[in-house]
Amino acid sequence: MDIAPPISDKARQALGFLTEAETAALESFGAVIPCPQATLVSPGVALGPGVVLWPGVILQIAAGGSIAIGDGTILFPGTRIVATGGEVAIGPNAEIGDEGGFTVKADAEGIVIGRDARLLGGGSLTLRNRIGDGAQIIGSIRCQNCTLGAGGSYRHPIADERGAVLKGAGVAREITLSQGLVIQAFGLFADATVRQQSFFHPHERSPTP
């Protein structure tokens, strides 16, 4: 006699997600999932060893998209990553969704997030975005077609050698920012001043020769 799956699993499967047991089984490949019943993952998502999926994380693939997350990356509660016909590629040791979650939605153009990147505070990436190694988005910022240059992580001791940073709240469209630069804005980032990161962290400047 066949036994019907739990109601929660029926809903998961109807929406294209793994069952609770299948989600928990991802830990056998090295992922860390403290609460599988509160985590939604589509079949085919690639998770590197040590990836942490906190409760409330959604990883959704549709229309032939793909999601690949590098070793040791942490996805905090409220993080939603959707690949609809496009690619989301996240490097190792990134931190996404702390302090309010984060949304990443890729269409055919795709989104790349580098190693040691940090995205927090309820922001989002849509359309085409290239977030370099060590780059940061801090705050409720809607990013569309942005490129943030690679550099050291936020832990790097010299501010102007870190990846590019957007911080504040508002809309960032068609922004290209090089290593060591930062825009702080509350509105349209295209209208704001570009500064060296040492402007905000003067004690973390390069030593004077």
Side-chain angles (χ1 to χ4, degrees), residues 95 102 116-120 131-139 141 143 148-149 152-156 159 162-167 177 181-183 197 201:
E95 300 177 23
F102 207 90
D116 298 315
R118 186 167 70 144
L119 314 178
L120 56 85
I131 310 303
D133 296 349
Q136 300 180 74
I137 298 172
I138 304 172
I141 305 169
C143 297
L148 302 185
S153 77
Y154 70 95
R155 297 184 179 91
H156 186 74
R162 296 172 187 162
V165 176
L166 300 177
K167 63 179 181 176
L177 205 59
L181 300 181
V182 55
I183 298 177
Q197 291 184 38
H201 306 281

PDB file of all heavy atoms in Angstrom, residues 95 102 116-120 131-139 141 143 148-149 152-156 159 162-167 177 181-183 197 201:
ATOM      1  N   GLU A  95      29.185  36.289   2.301  1.00  0.00           N
ATOM      2  CA  GLU A  95      28.197  36.430   3.370  1.00  0.00           C
ATOM      3  C   GLU A  95      27.019  37.206   2.800  1.00  0.00           C
ATOM      4  O   GLU A  95      27.177  38.359   2.399  1.00  0.00           O
ATOM      5  CB  GLU A  95      28.786  37.165   4.570  1.00  0.00           C
ATOM      6  CG  GLU A  95      29.987  36.471   5.201  1.00  0.00           C
ATOM      7  CD  GLU A  95      30.577  37.270   6.340  1.00  0.00           C
ATOM      8  OE1 GLU A  95      29.866  38.114   6.930  1.00  0.00           O
ATOM      9  OE2 GLU A  95      31.777  37.071   6.639  1.00  0.00           O
ATOM     10  N   PHE A 102      18.400  39.293   1.806  1.00  0.00           N
ATOM     11  CA  PHE A 102      18.868  39.832   0.533  1.00  0.00           C
ATOM     12  C   PHE A 102      18.214  39.034  -0.578  1.00  0.00           C
ATOM     13  O   PHE A 102      17.955  37.837  -0.415  1.00  0.00           O
ATOM     14  CB  PHE A 102      20.395  39.733   0.410  1.00  0.00           C
ATOM     15  CG  PHE A 102      21.005  40.764  -0.493  1.00  0.00           C
ATOM     16  CD1 PHE A 102      21.412  41.983   0.009  1.00  0.00           C
ATOM     17  CD2 PHE A 102      21.150  40.526  -1.854  1.00  0.00           C
ATOM     18  CE1 PHE A 102      21.952  42.952  -0.826  1.00  0.00           C
ATOM     19  CE2 PHE A 102      21.684  41.473  -2.687  1.00  0.00           C
ATOM     20  CZ  PHE A 102      22.090  42.702  -2.176  1.00  0.00           C
ATOM     21  N   ASP A 116      34.370  36.126  -0.869  1.00  0.00           N
ATOM     22  CA  ASP A 116      34.476  37.062   0.250  1.00  0.00           C
ATOM     23  C   ASP A 116      33.590  38.296   0.103  1.00  0.00           C
ATOM     24  O   ASP A 116      33.759  39.275   0.841  1.00  0.00           O
ATOM     25  CB  ASP A 116      35.924  37.523   0.452  1.00  0.00           C
ATOM     26  CG  ASP A 116      36.853  36.377   0.802  1.00  0.00           C
ATOM     27  OD1 ASP A 116      36.480  35.556   1.655  1.00  0.00           O
ATOM     28  OD2 ASP A 116      37.954  36.288   0.214  1.00  0.00           O
ATOM     29  N   ALA A 117      32.662  38.285  -0.869  1.00  0.00           N
ATOM     30  CA  ALA A 117      31.719  39.412  -0.981  1.00  0.00           C
ATOM     31  C   ALA A 117      30.787  39.417   0.227  1.00  0.00           C
ATOM     32  O   ALA A 117      30.555  38.378   0.863  1.00  0.00           O
ATOM     33  CB  ALA A 117      30.924  39.300  -2.270  1.00  0.00           C
ATOM     34  N   ARG A 118      30.228  40.590   0.533  1.00  0.00           N
ATOM     35  CA  ARG A 118      29.282  40.707   1.652  1.00  0.00           C
ATOM     36  C   ARG A 118      28.093  41.548   1.198  1.00  0.00           C
ATOM     37  O   ARG A 118      28.254  42.722   0.838  1.00  0.00           O
ATOM     38  CB  ARG A 118      29.959  41.332   2.866  1.00  0.00           C
ATOM     39  CG  ARG A 118      29.060  41.336   4.097  1.00  0.00           C
ATOM     40  CD  ARG A 118      29.826  41.662   5.360  1.00  0.00           C
ATOM     41  NE  ARG A 118      30.265  43.028   5.408  1.00  0.00           N
ATOM     42  CZ  ARG A 118      30.311  43.774   6.532  1.00  0.00           C
ATOM     43  NH1 ARG A 118      29.928  43.256   7.690  1.00  0.00           N
ATOM     44  NH2 ARG A 118      30.745  45.007   6.484  1.00  0.00           N
ATOM     45  N   LEU A 119      26.901  40.947   1.206  1.00  0.00           N
ATOM     46  CA  LEU A 119      25.672  41.617   0.787  1.00  0.00           C
ATOM     47  C   LEU A 119      24.687  41.508   1.938  1.00  0.00           C
ATOM     48  O   LEU A 119      24.279  40.408   2.319  1.00  0.00           O
ATOM     49  CB  LEU A 119      25.093  40.944  -0.469  1.00  0.00           C
ATOM     50  CG  LEU A 119      26.072  40.613  -1.603  1.00  0.00           C
ATOM     51  CD1 LEU A 119      25.336  39.919  -2.739  1.00  0.00           C
ATOM     52  CD2 LEU A 119      26.784  41.847  -2.100  1.00  0.00           C
ATOM     53  N   LEU A 120      24.287  42.650   2.495  1.00  0.00           N
ATOM     54  CA  LEU A 120      23.437  42.588   3.685  1.00  0.00           C
ATOM     55  C   LEU A 120      22.493  43.778   3.753  1.00  0.00           C
ATOM     56  O   LEU A 120      22.625  44.749   3.014  1.00  0.00           O
ATOM     57  CB  LEU A 120      24.310  42.517   4.945  1.00  0.00           C
ATOM     58  CG  LEU A 120      25.353  43.615   5.183  1.00  0.00           C
ATOM     59  CD1 LEU A 120      24.732  44.822   5.879  1.00  0.00           C
ATOM     60  CD2 LEU A 120      26.492  43.075   6.024  1.00  0.00           C
ATOM     61  N   ILE A 131      29.567  41.421  -9.046  1.00  0.00           N
ATOM     62  CA  ILE A 131      30.021  41.854  -7.730  1.00  0.00           C
ATOM     63  C   ILE A 131      31.357  41.174  -7.470  1.00  0.00           C
ATOM     64  O   ILE A 131      31.428  39.963  -7.268  1.00  0.00           O
ATOM     65  CB  ILE A 131      29.000  41.483  -6.639  1.00  0.00           C
ATOM     66  CG1 ILE A 131      27.586  41.939  -7.031  1.00  0.00           C
ATOM     67  CG2 ILE A 131      29.433  42.055  -5.300  1.00  0.00           C
ATOM     68  CD1 ILE A 131      27.457  43.410  -7.316  1.00  0.00           C
ATOM     69  N   GLY A 132      32.446  41.951  -7.493  1.00  0.00           N
ATOM     70  CA  GLY A 132      33.783  41.388  -7.445  1.00  0.00           C
ATOM     71  C   GLY A 132      34.154  40.816  -6.090  1.00  0.00           C
ATOM     72  O   GLY A 132      33.472  41.030  -5.079  1.00  0.00           O
ATOM     73  N   ASP A 133      35.278  40.110  -6.062  1.00  0.00           N
ATOM     74  CA  ASP A 133      35.795  39.561  -4.815  1.00  0.00           C
ATOM     75  C   ASP A 133      35.902  40.664  -3.762  1.00  0.00           C
ATOM     76  O   ASP A 133      36.440  41.743  -4.027  1.00  0.00           O
ATOM     77  CB  ASP A 133      37.182  38.954  -5.027  1.00  0.00           C
ATOM     78  CG  ASP A 133      37.178  37.763  -5.962  1.00  0.00           C
ATOM     79  OD1 ASP A 133      36.089  37.265  -6.295  1.00  0.00           O
ATOM     80  OD2 ASP A 133      38.287  37.330  -6.353  1.00  0.00           O
ATOM     81  N   GLY A 134      35.400  40.377  -2.569  1.00  0.00           N
ATOM     82  CA  GLY A 134      35.524  41.318  -1.470  1.00  0.00           C
ATOM     83  C   GLY A 134      34.606  42.522  -1.519  1.00  0.00           C
ATOM     84  O   GLY A 134      34.601  43.335  -0.587  1.00  0.00           O
ATOM     85  N   ALA A 135      33.819  42.685  -2.578  1.00  0.00           N
ATOM     86  CA  ALA A 135      32.931  43.852  -2.691  1.00  0.00           C
ATOM     87  C   ALA A 135      31.768  43.727  -1.719  1.00  0.00           C
ATOM     88  O   ALA A 135      31.405  42.633  -1.275  1.00  0.00           O
ATOM     89  CB  ALA A 135      32.425  43.999  -4.117  1.00  0.00           C
ATOM     90  N   GLN A 136      31.154  44.877  -1.409  1.00  0.00           N
ATOM     91  CA  GLN A 136      30.078  44.890  -0.425  1.00  0.00           C
ATOM     92  C   GLN A 136      28.896  45.736  -0.893  1.00  0.00           C
ATOM     93  O   GLN A 136      29.083  46.792  -1.513  1.00  0.00           O
ATOM     94  CB  GLN A 136      30.567  45.477   0.898  1.00  0.00           C
ATOM     95  CG  GLN A 136      31.716  44.734   1.548  1.00  0.00           C
ATOM     96  CD  GLN A 136      32.103  45.407   2.848  1.00  0.00           C
ATOM     97  OE1 GLN A 136      31.406  45.303   3.856  1.00  0.00           O
ATOM     98  NE2 GLN A 136      33.226  46.110   2.827  1.00  0.00           N
ATOM     99  N   ILE A 137      27.700  45.281  -0.542  1.00  0.00           N
ATOM    100  CA  ILE A 137      26.473  46.084  -0.652  1.00  0.00           C
ATOM    101  C   ILE A 137      25.851  46.068   0.729  1.00  0.00           C
ATOM    102  O   ILE A 137      25.470  45.015   1.246  1.00  0.00           O
ATOM    103  CB  ILE A 137      25.515  45.507  -1.702  1.00  0.00           C
ATOM    104  CG1 ILE A 137      26.169  45.513  -3.080  1.00  0.00           C
ATOM    105  CG2 ILE A 137      24.211  46.313  -1.734  1.00  0.00           C
ATOM    106  CD1 ILE A 137      25.378  44.788  -4.143  1.00  0.00           C
ATOM    107  N   ILE A 138      25.769  47.255   1.337  1.00  0.00           N
ATOM    108  CA  ILE A 138      25.368  47.358   2.734  1.00  0.00           C
ATOM    109  C   ILE A 138      24.147  48.265   2.815  1.00  0.00           C
ATOM    110  O   ILE A 138      24.250  49.484   2.663  1.00  0.00           O
ATOM    111  CB  ILE A 138      26.512  47.936   3.593  1.00  0.00           C
ATOM    112  CG1 ILE A 138      27.778  47.085   3.428  1.00  0.00           C
ATOM    113  CG2 ILE A 138      26.106  48.007   5.057  1.00  0.00           C
ATOM    114  CD1 ILE A 138      29.007  47.690   4.074  1.00  0.00           C
ATOM    115  N   GLY A 139      22.982  47.677   3.015  1.00  0.00           N
ATOM    116  CA  GLY A 139      21.762  48.457   3.149  1.00  0.00           C
ATOM    117  C   GLY A 139      20.719  48.064   2.128  1.00  0.00           C
ATOM    118  O   GLY A 139      20.947  47.226   1.248  1.00  0.00           O
ATOM    119  N   ILE A 141      19.442  48.488  -0.853  1.00  0.00           N
ATOM    120  CA  ILE A 141      19.842  49.085  -2.127  1.00  0.00           C
ATOM    121  C   ILE A 141      19.403  48.165  -3.255  1.00  0.00           C
ATOM    122  O   ILE A 141      19.750  46.983  -3.267  1.00  0.00           O
ATOM    123  CB  ILE A 141      21.361  49.301  -2.192  1.00  0.00           C
ATOM    124  CG1 ILE A 141      21.839  50.142  -1.008  1.00  0.00           C
ATOM    125  CG2 ILE A 141      21.762  49.953  -3.513  1.00  0.00           C
ATOM    126  CD1 ILE A 141      23.341  50.172  -0.842  1.00  0.00           C
ATOM    127  N   CYS A 143      20.024  47.084  -6.752  1.00  0.00           N
ATOM    128  CA  CYS A 143      21.121  47.171  -7.724  1.00  0.00           C
ATOM    129  C   CYS A 143      20.703  46.546  -9.049  1.00  0.00           C
ATOM    130  O   CYS A 143      20.269  45.391  -9.082  1.00  0.00           O
ATOM    131  CB  CYS A 143      22.351  46.454  -7.187  1.00  0.00           C
ATOM    132  SG  CYS A 143      23.021  47.193  -5.693  1.00  0.00           S
ATOM    133  N   LEU A 148      30.931  46.002  -9.410  1.00  0.00           N
ATOM    134  CA  LEU A 148      31.746  46.440  -8.281  1.00  0.00           C
ATOM    135  C   LEU A 148      33.096  45.743  -8.360  1.00  0.00           C
ATOM    136  O   LEU A 148      33.170  44.505  -8.402  1.00  0.00           O
ATOM    137  CB  LEU A 148      31.061  46.118  -6.952  1.00  0.00           C
ATOM    138  CG  LEU A 148      29.662  46.716  -6.741  1.00  0.00           C
ATOM    139  CD1 LEU A 148      29.166  46.422  -5.326  1.00  0.00           C
ATOM    140  CD2 LEU A 148      29.653  48.216  -7.008  1.00  0.00           C
ATOM    141  N   GLY A 149      34.172  46.537  -8.365  1.00  0.00           N
ATOM    142  CA  GLY A 149      35.504  46.002  -8.557  1.00  0.00           C
ATOM    143  C   GLY A 149      35.967  45.123  -7.417  1.00  0.00           C
ATOM    144  O   GLY A 149      35.574  45.286  -6.260  1.00  0.00           O
ATOM    145  N   GLY A 152      40.336  43.243  -1.579  1.00  0.00           N
ATOM    146  CA  GLY A 152      40.305  42.496  -0.339  1.00  0.00           C
ATOM    147  C   GLY A 152      38.925  42.521   0.290  1.00  0.00           C
ATOM    148  O   GLY A 152      38.069  43.327  -0.071  1.00  0.00           O
ATOM    149  N   SER A 153      38.691  41.645   1.245  1.00  0.00           N
ATOM    150  CA  SER A 153      37.413  41.594   1.938  1.00  0.00           C
ATOM    151  C   SER A 153      37.308  42.748   2.936  1.00  0.00           C
ATOM    152  O   SER A 153      38.270  43.508   3.133  1.00  0.00           O
ATOM    153  CB  SER A 153      37.273  40.268   2.688  1.00  0.00           C
ATOM    154  OG  SER A 153      38.048  40.287   3.878  1.00  0.00           O
ATOM    155  N   TYR A 154      36.150  42.867   3.582  1.00  0.00           N
ATOM    156  CA  TYR A 154      35.966  43.928   4.571  1.00  0.00           C
ATOM    157  C   TYR A 154      36.903  43.756   5.768  1.00  0.00           C
ATOM    158  O   TYR A 154      37.093  44.686   6.548  1.00  0.00           O
ATOM    159  CB  TYR A 154      34.505  44.007   5.029  1.00  0.00           C
ATOM    160  CG  TYR A 154      34.027  42.846   5.870  1.00  0.00           C
ATOM    161  CD1 TYR A 154      34.051  42.903   7.257  1.00  0.00           C
ATOM    162  CD2 TYR A 154      33.524  41.694   5.277  1.00  0.00           C
ATOM    163  CE1 TYR A 154      33.591  41.842   8.034  1.00  0.00           C
ATOM    164  CE2 TYR A 154      33.066  40.635   6.040  1.00  0.00           C
ATOM    165  CZ  TYR A 154      33.098  40.709   7.415  1.00  0.00           C
ATOM    166  OH  TYR A 154      32.647  39.656   8.171  1.00  0.00           O
ATOM    167  N   ARG A 155      37.516  42.602   5.894  1.00  0.00           N
ATOM    168  CA  ARG A 155      38.471  42.366   6.980  1.00  0.00           C
ATOM    169  C   ARG A 155      39.895  42.811   6.604  1.00  0.00           C
ATOM    170  O   ARG A 155      40.781  42.826   7.453  1.00  0.00           O
ATOM    171  CB  ARG A 155      38.501  40.884   7.337  1.00  0.00           C
ATOM    172  CG  ARG A 155      37.180  40.346   7.879  1.00  0.00           C
ATOM    173  CD  ARG A 155      37.335  38.894   8.305  1.00  0.00           C
ATOM    174  NE  ARG A 155      36.104  38.350   8.846  1.00  0.00           N
ATOM    175  CZ  ARG A 155      35.164  37.731   8.144  1.00  0.00           C
ATOM    176  NH1 ARG A 155      35.339  37.571   6.834  1.00  0.00           N
ATOM    177  NH2 ARG A 155      34.083  37.259   8.716  1.00  0.00           N
ATOM    178  N   HIS A 156      40.105  43.137   5.329  1.00  0.00           N
ATOM    179  CA  HIS A 156      41.439  43.536   4.883  1.00  0.00           C
ATOM    180  C   HIS A 156      41.875  44.804   5.626  1.00  0.00           C
ATOM    181  O   HIS A 156      41.080  45.748   5.759  1.00  0.00           O
ATOM    182  CB  HIS A 156      41.430  43.775   3.375  1.00  0.00           C
ATOM    183  CG  HIS A 156      42.777  44.040   2.792  1.00  0.00           C
ATOM    184  ND1 HIS A 156      43.718  43.055   2.615  1.00  0.00           N
ATOM    185  CD2 HIS A 156      43.351  45.197   2.356  1.00  0.00           C
ATOM    186  CE1 HIS A 156      44.809  43.576   2.081  1.00  0.00           C
ATOM    187  NE2 HIS A 156      44.615  44.878   1.917  1.00  0.00           N
ATOM    188  N   ALA A 159      41.856  49.989   3.846  1.00  0.00           N
ATOM    189  CA  ALA A 159      40.522  50.241   3.290  1.00  0.00           C
ATOM    190  C   ALA A 159      40.540  50.409   1.775  1.00  0.00           C
ATOM    191  O   ALA A 159      39.664  49.889   1.075  1.00  0.00           O
ATOM    192  CB  ALA A 159      39.902  51.473   3.960  1.00  0.00           C
ATOM    193  N   ARG A 162      40.339  47.279  -0.504  1.00  0.00           N
ATOM    194  CA  ARG A 162      39.187  46.381  -0.412  1.00  0.00           C
ATOM    195  C   ARG A 162      38.349  46.454  -1.692  1.00  0.00           C
ATOM    196  O   ARG A 162      38.488  47.372  -2.501  1.00  0.00           O
ATOM    197  CB  ARG A 162      38.320  46.768   0.790  1.00  0.00           C
ATOM    198  CG  ARG A 162      39.024  46.598   2.115  1.00  0.00           C
ATOM    199  CD  ARG A 162      38.218  47.177   3.264  1.00  0.00           C
ATOM    200  NE  ARG A 162      38.992  47.144   4.502  1.00  0.00           N
ATOM    201  CZ  ARG A 162      38.723  47.872   5.581  1.00  0.00           C
ATOM    202  NH1 ARG A 162      37.685  48.710   5.570  1.00  0.00           N
ATOM    203  NH2 ARG A 162      39.476  47.776   6.658  1.00  0.00           N
ATOM    204  N   GLY A 163      37.460  45.456  -1.849  1.00  0.00           N
ATOM    205  CA  GLY A 163      36.519  45.507  -2.959  1.00  0.00           C
ATOM    206  C   GLY A 163      35.611  46.721  -2.845  1.00  0.00           C
ATOM    207  O   GLY A 163      35.429  47.298  -1.765  1.00  0.00           O
ATOM    208  N   ALA A 164      35.039  47.151  -3.970  1.00  0.00           N
ATOM    209  CA  ALA A 164      34.181  48.337  -4.009  1.00  0.00           C
ATOM    210  C   ALA A 164      32.957  48.159  -3.113  1.00  0.00           C
ATOM    211  O   ALA A 164      32.505  47.033  -2.864  1.00  0.00           O
ATOM    212  CB  ALA A 164      33.755  48.620  -5.434  1.00  0.00           C
ATOM    213  N   VAL A 165      32.392  49.286  -2.661  1.00  0.00           N
ATOM    214  CA  VAL A 165      31.294  49.262  -1.687  1.00  0.00           C
ATOM    215  C   VAL A 165      30.181  50.225  -2.091  1.00  0.00           C
ATOM    216  O   VAL A 165      30.431  51.376  -2.454  1.00  0.00           O
ATOM    217  CB  VAL A 165      31.789  49.646  -0.273  1.00  0.00           C
ATOM    218  CG1 VAL A 165      30.622  49.703   0.714  1.00  0.00           C
ATOM    219  CG2 VAL A 165      32.847  48.667   0.221  1.00  0.00           C
ATOM    220  N   LEU A 166      28.938  49.747  -2.002  1.00  0.00           N
ATOM    221  CA  LEU A 166      27.756  50.604  -2.013  1.00  0.00           C
ATOM    222  C   LEU A 166      27.119  50.496  -0.638  1.00  0.00           C
ATOM    223  O   LEU A 166      26.903  49.382  -0.142  1.00  0.00           O
ATOM    224  CB  LEU A 166      26.752  50.146  -3.075  1.00  0.00           C
ATOM    225  CG  LEU A 166      27.206  50.136  -4.530  1.00  0.00           C
ATOM    226  CD1 LEU A 166      26.105  49.576  -5.416  1.00  0.00           C
ATOM    227  CD2 LEU A 166      27.615  51.521  -4.994  1.00  0.00           C
ATOM    228  N   LYS A 167      26.790  51.646  -0.020  1.00  0.00           N
ATOM    229  CA  LYS A 167      26.123  51.580   1.279  1.00  0.00           C
ATOM    230  C   LYS A 167      25.113  52.699   1.406  1.00  0.00           C
ATOM    231  O   LYS A 167      25.271  53.777   0.824  1.00  0.00           O
ATOM    232  CB  LYS A 167      27.123  51.608   2.422  1.00  0.00           C
ATOM    233  CG  LYS A 167      27.962  52.852   2.575  1.00  0.00           C
ATOM    234  CD  LYS A 167      28.878  52.691   3.789  1.00  0.00           C
ATOM    235  CE  LYS A 167      29.733  53.916   4.036  1.00  0.00           C
ATOM    236  NZ  LYS A 167      30.532  53.777   5.277  1.00  0.00           N
ATOM    237  N   LEU A 177      32.141  50.682 -10.246  1.00  0.00           N
ATOM    238  CA  LEU A 177      32.952  51.218  -9.153  1.00  0.00           C
ATOM    239  C   LEU A 177      34.208  50.358  -9.016  1.00  0.00           C
ATOM    240  O   LEU A 177      34.126  49.127  -8.973  1.00  0.00           O
ATOM    241  CB  LEU A 177      32.129  51.174  -7.863  1.00  0.00           C
ATOM    242  CG  LEU A 177      32.454  52.153  -6.743  1.00  0.00           C
ATOM    243  CD1 LEU A 177      32.327  53.599  -7.224  1.00  0.00           C
ATOM    244  CD2 LEU A 177      31.530  51.913  -5.553  1.00  0.00           C
ATOM    245  N   LEU A 181      36.912  52.040  -3.804  1.00  0.00           N
ATOM    246  CA  LEU A 181      35.972  53.162  -3.858  1.00  0.00           C
ATOM    247  C   LEU A 181      34.657  52.806  -3.186  1.00  0.00           C
ATOM    248  O   LEU A 181      34.296  51.637  -3.065  1.00  0.00           O
ATOM    249  CB  LEU A 181      35.727  53.575  -5.310  1.00  0.00           C
ATOM    250  CG  LEU A 181      36.951  54.040  -6.097  1.00  0.00           C
ATOM    251  CD1 LEU A 181      36.549  54.442  -7.511  1.00  0.00           C
ATOM    252  CD2 LEU A 181      37.652  55.206  -5.388  1.00  0.00           C
ATOM    253  N   VAL A 182      33.940  53.833  -2.767  1.00  0.00           N
ATOM    254  CA  VAL A 182      32.666  53.640  -2.079  1.00  0.00           C
ATOM    255  C   VAL A 182      31.703  54.757  -2.473  1.00  0.00           C
ATOM    256  O   VAL A 182      32.113  55.901  -2.681  1.00  0.00           O
ATOM    257  CB  VAL A 182      32.854  53.628  -0.541  1.00  0.00           C
ATOM    258  CG1 VAL A 182      33.549  54.883  -0.046  1.00  0.00           C
ATOM    259  CG2 VAL A 182      31.513  53.444   0.185  1.00  0.00           C
ATOM    260  N   ILE A 183      30.436  54.398  -2.612  1.00  0.00           N
ATOM    261  CA  ILE A 183      29.368  55.395  -2.728  1.00  0.00           C
ATOM    262  C   ILE A 183      28.422  55.177  -1.558  1.00  0.00           C
ATOM    263  O   ILE A 183      27.900  54.077  -1.366  1.00  0.00           O
ATOM    264  CB  ILE A 183      28.583  55.269  -4.036  1.00  0.00           C
ATOM    265  CG1 ILE A 183      29.485  55.488  -5.243  1.00  0.00           C
ATOM    266  CG2 ILE A 183      27.418  56.269  -4.060  1.00  0.00           C
ATOM    267  CD1 ILE A 183      28.785  55.303  -6.589  1.00  0.00           C
ATOM    268  N   GLN A 197      37.560  54.621   0.172  1.00  0.00           N
ATOM    269  CA  GLN A 197      37.027  54.032   1.399  1.00  0.00           C
ATOM    270  C   GLN A 197      37.744  54.548   2.647  1.00  0.00           C
ATOM    271  O   GLN A 197      37.172  54.575   3.742  1.00  0.00           O
ATOM    272  CB  GLN A 197      37.100  52.508   1.325  1.00  0.00           C
ATOM    273  CG  GLN A 197      36.125  51.940   0.303  1.00  0.00           C
ATOM    274  CD  GLN A 197      36.112  50.435   0.266  1.00  0.00           C
ATOM    275  OE1 GLN A 197      36.218  49.770   1.287  1.00  0.00           O
ATOM    276  NE2 GLN A 197      35.990  49.879  -0.938  1.00  0.00           N
ATOM    277  N   HIS A 201      37.230  55.406   6.748  1.00  0.00           N
ATOM    278  CA  HIS A 201      38.074  54.616   7.647  1.00  0.00           C
ATOM    279  C   HIS A 201      39.495  55.172   7.632  1.00  0.00           C
ATOM    280  O   HIS A 201      40.436  54.518   7.173  1.00  0.00           O
ATOM    281  CB  HIS A 201      38.079  53.140   7.209  1.00  0.00           C
ATOM    282  CG  HIS A 201      36.718  52.546   7.089  1.00  0.00           C
ATOM    283  ND1 HIS A 201      35.979  52.117   8.180  1.00  0.00           N
ATOM    284  CD2 HIS A 201      35.929  52.312   5.996  1.00  0.00           C
ATOM    285  CE1 HIS A 201      34.810  51.633   7.770  1.00  0.00           C
ATOM    286  NE2 HIS A 201      34.758  51.745   6.449  1.00  0.00           N
TER     287      HIS A 201
END
